Amino acid sequence: MADELIAVEVAYATPERQTIIAVTLPAGSTAEQAIAASDILQQFPEIDLSQRKVGVFGLICKLDKPLTDGDRIEIYRPLQQNPMDARRGRLQK
């Protein structure tokens, strides 16, 4: 079992670009290990994992969450605008 590998994806998006990086890790690896293995932090130096939330398929999780084969780890950005304020603005137009 120690030789078992899992394939996961690490995703991050800015308004200009979306990046999804596939990585292969040992079974039992965590979300933080997948992010580190993807080198996405070098591509986007503005990501601070102590300030950003992460999730697996849209469900927020902690960095120490064990992953399973096929998971997609998502790094979330802060909202630019409150969704309710944006909706009110569209309705007023």
Side-chain angles (χ1 to χ4, degrees):
M1 176 137 170
D3 295 337
E4 188 178 339
L5 297 176
I6 59 171
V8 299
E9 295 178 331
V10 178
Y12 182 70
T14 66
E16 299 81 30
R17 152 181 161 202
Q18 175 183 350
T19 302
I20 299 175
I21 301 170
V23 293
T24 303
L25 302 164
S29 294
T30 64
E32 186 172 25
Q33 290 169 325
I35 292 168
S38 73
D39 285 332
I40 203 161
L41 299 177
Q42 283 68 39
Q43 292 183 41
F44 298 95
E46 70 272 13
I47 297 174
D48 179 359
L49 290 178
S50 67
Q51 301 294 316
R52 301 285 176 100
K53 292 184 180 183
V54 300
V56 175
F57 289 119
L59 298 174
I60 293 177
C61 69
K62 295 185 179 188
L63 290 170
D64 62 356
K65 178 187 179 6
L67 302 173
T68 58
D69 192 48
D71 281 349
R72 182 183 65 231
I73 300 89
E74 302 158 342
I75 304 169
Y76 303 117
R77 293 181 294 118
L79 294 176
Q80 297 276 339
Q81 183 179 20
N82 179 317
M84 290 302 291
D85 293 340
R87 184 171 186 264
R88 283 187 200 103
R90 288 190 306 271
L91 286 174
Q92 290 176 355
K93 287 184 180 179

